[in-house]
Amino acid sequence: MNSAVNGKRPLTAYACLLVASLCIASQSRAEDGYELWLRYKPIGTRQLEASRESTTEIVAGTPSPTLTAAVSELTRGLFGLLGASPAIAPTVTKDRSILIGTPRSLPIIRQLEVKWDQLGAEGYVVRSLTYEGHPTILIAANSDIGVLYGTFSFLRLLQTGQSLQNIQVLSAPRVRYRILDHWDNLGRSVERGYAGESIWDWHKLPDYIDPRYIDYARACASVGINGTVPNNVNASSVSLTSPYLGKLAALANVFRPYGIRVYLTAKFSAPIEIGGLQTADPLNPSVQDWWRRKADEIYGLIPDFGGFLVKANSEGEPGPQDYGRTHADGANMLADALAAHGGIVMWRAFVYRAGGDDRAKQGFEDFKRLDGSFRDNVTIQVKNGPIDFQPREPFHPLFGAMPKTSTMLEVQLTKEYLGFATHLVFLGPLIEEVLRTDTYAAGPGSTVAKVVDGSLFPHRITGIAGVANVGSDRNWTGSHFDQANWYGFGRLAWDASLSSRAIAEEWVRMTFSNDPAFVGRVVAMMMGSREAAVNYMTPLGLTHQMSRSHYGPAPWSTGGPEAGWTSTYFARADEKGIGFDRTVTGSNAVAQYAPQVAAEFSSLKRTPERLLLWFHHVPWDYRMRSGNTLWDELVMHYTHGVQSVSDMRQTWSSLQGAIDSERFEQVSSFLAIQEKEAKWWRDASIAYFQTRSHRLLPSGFEPTEHDLSYYEALCFPYVPGARPEASSLCKK
Ligand code: GCV
């Protein structure tokens, strides 16, 4: 017997949620980007016929909030995609059904052959099969959240035009914590945010629940994101006060059915700022007690609270080193406070101090020696590269270097260093590049992905975090194409073995069109877009050449309070050559990598040219593999980057009419901005480096449009997302 028959609110619960979700849908204007990749527009007729046949009836397990969300999404998707309104039945009554549930909530599926043990807590199966002689679709999992993920997977198959005749999907995440980190301030500004204000309206919480929160949760769940940190790592203690915890609890209630836990950033000095203590020393019993009571208070309101994310002793934030203690002392104190409740601490390794010989080395120096001294509910959150989310960096040397410590990966979706929201840069290839890189930590094949998913060195916590690019802009991410970075992050966090090309294709099909010609051209644009940005901003391993506000080029920037914030520190261009010597003759940062990797990066000849100037100071006339001199090659890369953007523009303009004009026009305008700014990057960089190289441009290459002084004088004090001091940073 179907247990739904025994349920107290079998159909009404689904019906209510369905009505609610349709209301939300009707608030969004067509094709303004609000619906993201969950548009559910009608699919082609051939597939439609085949699909409609198998969707006469939905037979669902006993309703729970999560299962109700799954059935609601399924109904909404089928209605939009197929024009079908399948009946929701408690038992199989018709010829064609979708069975959706867990073995507990829908006992009839127990008899079906499913590899339940391979699904784990969040995995799912989506299968076409014959049930009692009838064509049937099965969406099943061990848990309700797995069923919701399976539902989105099924809808993705439909949306991307795949046949339903022989579906055999079994998918389970390898990484347990898949989290979005918002750098949002309580007053709604967003640090490095390019998509409007923060979506979190703390002022109106907990009494007003913006419907956006539900759509945010749907979008996250659709790609398997299961955690959110709504507040900035440059934290405010206020978020830990009782009123704000009440507001957070309201968000947690909204997100719970979608499998999303809330976390908080914890300001290390909170015991002083809001607790009335004289110290925040992690070894002080009163401080420990304060955090324990704070954790108890949080869990009293939010029983499934995820834990704390901490930025400590970094960029002026307080931390345990203020008291002569280590990062492990600080992290363990918080971990102990959370342990009884099952919470975790994500402690960031993004640290650097003024005056070190190489900013790239400092995270490793602080953390490597602490390997083995962290509690098992602590993970060290490590940025993909050793500096700071640059267009290209080598992998962070901490990956694989702390076998006794969980290390999670942090990538940035908001494109602080990649042209903000107006540059089309798909980050899938960047994330894929780092995940696939071999650290050699335990011999060949020790990829970053294997470090992060715990298959190299097993750990209780495995995780990936993405710095969110979401804001209150109607299209969520400030540009239509930046939605792909949210989407792609979630998909790769769920399954690091996916290719970013396949992800781009899914996204294009769901977001724009299934037309093969459109898909092919747009996917090609996306796949080349990251390399284009590397070329016009920081080719051949150059890094951090932007202005202090992080908008536009400023390779001349120097001085100020922190050398490691200036371009000249990183490029080190002089009469002889360019690049940062990180070999044994320089900072010897190469020694932080495993011997095989260190040997490769130490050798001028063996270092991949895409990272050449990261590791070596190279003479201007050095012969590159192409036979060109370094100087000529540099100019060629900058120029090629601009050309790639012009090509993207042309491709996009050839697609006019293929999609709605509203989104088409915005993308066109943004590509025009990107082309203008790519040229700015090229010309300003060449103009500056030419004052060091004293060489002519290779023949046939256009001179820069203006001379250096023109570029140096450009100043944009009110750049979005910048830290407040940026407005006073116009002079070099
Ligand atoms: C949240 C970079 C950014 C900062 C950011 C910091 C971090 O330095 O420019 O805005 O602060 O990274 O990751 O903590």
Side-chain angles (χ1 to χ4, degrees):
M1 186 178 65
N2 186 327
S3 60
V5 174
N6 300 327
K8 291 215 173 69
R9 42 189 180 94
L11 297 181
T12 39
Y14 294 130
C16 292
L17 208 111
L18 177 61
V19 172
S21 65
L22 289 176
C23 290
I24 292 162
S26 66
Q27 288 167 3
S28 51
R29 285 175 290 130
E31 303 304 314
D32 57 8
Y34 181 82
E35 291 171 309
L36 296 161
W37 50 88
L38 302 174
R39 294 158 59 245
Y40 304 137
K41 297 290 179 224
I43 52 175
T45 40
R46 215 159 40 111
Q47 195 206 0
L48 186 118
E49 287 315 314
S51 313
R52 205 182 252 150
E53 287 199 352
S54 13
T55 52
T56 321
E57 168 181 273
I58 295 173
V59 180
T62 316
S64 68
T66 300
L67 209 52
T68 301
V71 172
S72 165
E73 196 70 35
L74 186 58
T75 316
R76 175 187 194 144
L78 293 176
F79 184 74
L81 289 159
L82 309 178
S85 304
I88 299 171
T91 53
V92 176
T93 59
K94 296 211 174 125
D95 284 356
R96 296 178 177 89
S97 309
I98 300 180
L99 305 180
I100 168 170
T102 65
R104 262 168 75 106
S105 68
L106 190 60
I108 54 169
I109 65 175
R110 285 187 196 157
Q111 55 190 276
L112 302 175
E113 214 178 288
V114 172
K115 295 182 175 130
W116 300 106
D117 55 326
Q118 292 183 12
L119 304 184
E122 295 178 294
Y124 58 82
V125 284
V126 179
R127 278 184 31 205
S128 46
L129 45 83
T130 304
Y131 181 74
E132 293 185 347
H134 304 301
T136 300
I137 303 248
L138 172 71
I139 303 174
N142 289 320
S143 63
D144 289 349
I145 188 62
V147 174
L148 180 63
Y149 293 148
T151 302
F152 280 114
S153 166
F154 171 68
L155 290 170
R156 186 158 56 234
L157 294 174
L158 280 177
Q159 286 170 282
T160 54
Q162 301 195 39
S163 159
L164 296 189
Q165 297 310 311
N166 189 23
I167 315 172
Q168 295 290 343
V169 181
L170 184 156
S171 184
R174 294 236 182 109
V175 166
R176 185 164 158 198
Y177 296 91
R178 307 176 298 277
I179 298 182
L180 276 187
D181 292 352
H182 291 258
W183 286 355
D184 296 15
N185 299 313
L186 297 178
R188 297 196 81 171
S189 61
V190 181
E191 184 157 343
R192 312 308 177 187
Y194 312 106
E197 287 196 305
S198 168
I199 54 170
W200 317 123
D201 191 346
W202 297 103
H203 182 64
K204 299 197 188 81
L205 281 165
D207 302 315
Y208 174 64
I209 300 296
D210 188 332
R212 261 198 180 226
Y213 303 151
I214 301 169
D215 289 330
Y216 167 86
R218 289 175 52 233
C220 286
S222 76
V223 289
I225 291 168
N226 65 2
T228 183
V229 189
N231 57 332
N232 193 350
V233 287
N234 291 330
S236 161
S237 299
V238 173
S239 63
L240 289 164
T241 59
S242 299
Y244 278 82
L245 293 178
K247 293 167 190 279
L248 186 70
L251 280 183
N253 292 341
V254 174
F255 296 156
R256 194 165 292 114
Y258 298 90
I260 298 165
R261 286 179 182 223
V262 295
Y263 297 73
L264 266 185
T265 56
K267 181 137 185 153
F268 205 76
S269 50
I272 304 173
E273 289 164 16
I274 58 169
L277 301 186
Q278 299 297 312
T279 177
D281 181 348
L283 300 193
N284 180 305
S286 315
V287 173
Q288 294 169 350
D289 187 54
W290 187 86
W291 281 108
R292 208 170 294 120
R293 281 186 289 112
K294 187 49 74 181
D296 293 346
E297 181 188 353
I298 297 173
Y299 280 94
L301 293 166
I302 310 169
D304 55 356
F305 176 67
F308 293 134
L309 168 65
V310 188
K311 172 174 177 177
N313 292 123
S314 164
E315 299 188 327
E317 292 299 307
Q321 292 176 342
D322 302 347
Y323 306 94
R325 314 298 185 194
T326 67
H327 286 288
D329 293 328
N332 291 343
M333 184 229 354
L334 294 175
D336 290 344
L338 296 168
H341 306 283
I344 66 166
V345 174
M346 297 173 285
W347 190 271
R348 296 175 87 228
F350 176 69
V351 295
Y352 57 93
R353 292 170 299 282
D357 67 332
D358 182 355
R359 180 176 153 180
K361 283 166 52 179
Q362 295 179 18
F364 184 97
E365 281 170 353
D366 273 17
F367 281 86
K368 162 75 182 156
R369 64 202 165 86
L370 298 174
D371 188 25
S373 38
F374 293 93
R375 302 277 192 269
D376 77 343
N377 60 335
V378 175
T379 181
I380 305 303
Q381 183 166 300
V382 183
K383 288 189 181 183
N384 57 280
I387 296 292
D388 192 9
F389 301 136
Q390 298 299 304
R392 170 166 281 123
E393 299 190 35
F395 70 94
H396 199 299
L398 277 175
F399 288 115
M402 298 183 72
K404 296 187 214 132
T405 307
S406 160
T407 41
M408 69 184 283
L409 170 67
E410 180 181 4
V411 294
Q412 192 186 53
L413 314 179
T414 188
K415 302 198 315 297
E416 174 183 357
Y417 298 104
L418 282 138
F420 300 0
T422 40
H423 291 210
L424 194 167
V425 180
F426 174 52
L427 298 173
L430 187 159
I431 303 173
E432 189 179 0
E433 183 175 293
V434 64
L435 286 168
R436 304 247 162 115
T437 305
D438 199 343
T439 68
Y440 284 87
S446 308
T447 58
V448 172
K450 285 188 181 167
V451 174
V452 168
D453 72 17
S455 55
L456 199 64
F457 309 116
H459 294 292
R460 188 181 134 196
I461 303 177
T462 54
I464 299 189
V467 179
N469 58 355
V470 167
S472 57
D473 274 6
R474 185 70 195 159
N475 65 19
W476 297 87
T477 52
S479 78
H480 297 293
F481 273 90
D482 275 316
Q483 297 177 355
N485 292 327
W486 182 8
Y487 180 87
F489 163 75
R491 297 286 287 136
L492 278 166
W494 177 275
D495 184 353
S497 71
L498 291 176
S499 80
S500 54
R501 179 176 292 279
I503 292 171
E505 180 169 338
E506 283 173 4
W507 178 81
V508 171
R509 286 175 178 275
M510 292 191 282
T511 305
F512 289 120
S513 161
N514 271 311
D515 169 39
F518 181 90
V519 173
R521 276 186 257 173
V522 176
V523 169
M525 264 172 63
M526 290 170 73
M527 291 307 292
S529 61
R530 187 278 187 125
E531 207 55 45
V534 169
N535 281 332
Y536 63 74
M537 289 181 173
T538 48
L540 298 174
L542 279 177
T543 202
H544 212 294
Q545 295 299 296
M546 67 293 306
S547 74
R548 288 279 294 283
S549 67
H550 300 177
Y551 174 62
W556 48 84
S557 98
T558 194
E562 166 65 64
W565 288 343
T566 64
S567 306
T568 52
Y569 170 88
F570 287 103
R572 309 206 160 191
D574 56 23
E575 315 286 307
K576 292 199 189 117
I578 182 170
F580 198 128
D581 182 3
R582 293 193 163 98
T583 70
V584 71
T585 54
S587 76
N588 205 23
V590 291
Q592 295 182 336
Y593 291 97
Q596 292 90 330
V597 180
E600 183 180 323
F601 289 159
S602 296
S603 154
L604 187 58
K605 289 281 166 222
R606 287 181 59 208
T607 301
E609 286 188 345
R610 62 178 186 278
L611 291 173
L612 189 67
L613 304 180
W614 185 283
F615 288 110
H616 301 276
H617 189 76
V618 184
W620 293 112
D621 288 329
Y622 174 77
R623 287 279 156 203
M624 304 289 286
R625 279 173 206 142
S626 61
N628 298 319
T629 64
L630 169 64
W631 167 250
D632 285 358
E633 188 98 348
L634 203 56
V635 174
M636 289 172 188
H637 272 76
Y638 282 121
T639 310
H640 186 57
V642 179
Q643 186 57 49
S644 307
V645 180
S646 308
D647 293 346
M648 289 204 284
R649 253 190 105 180
Q650 214 172 22
T651 303
W652 187 253
S653 65
S654 76
L655 297 169
Q656 183 153 26
I659 61 162
D660 54 287
S661 58
E662 194 173 350
R663 290 186 299 166
F664 179 83
E665 291 304 338
Q666 195 195 71
V667 173
S668 301
S669 304
F670 284 10
L671 283 169
I673 294 173
Q674 185 174 5
E675 188 182 40
K676 191 169 72 177
E677 293 183 354
K679 191 161 162 23
W680 172 28
W681 266 96
R682 173 209 183 256
D683 288 357
S685 306
I686 292 176
Y688 173 73
F689 289 129
Q690 204 167 20
T691 65
R692 298 294 180 270
S693 76
H694 302 292
R695 278 153 178 80
L696 298 173
L697 266 61
S699 73
F701 282 77
E702 255 185 45
T704 64
E705 194 175 343
H706 303 281
D707 63 15
L708 180 59
S709 57
Y710 170 88
Y711 298 109
E712 284 184 327
L714 291 177
C715 175
F716 300 91
Y718 300 108
V719 163
R723 298 167 78 140
E725 70 270 16
S727 59
S728 62
L729 293 178
C730 278
K731 280 301 253 177
K732 299 187 188 186

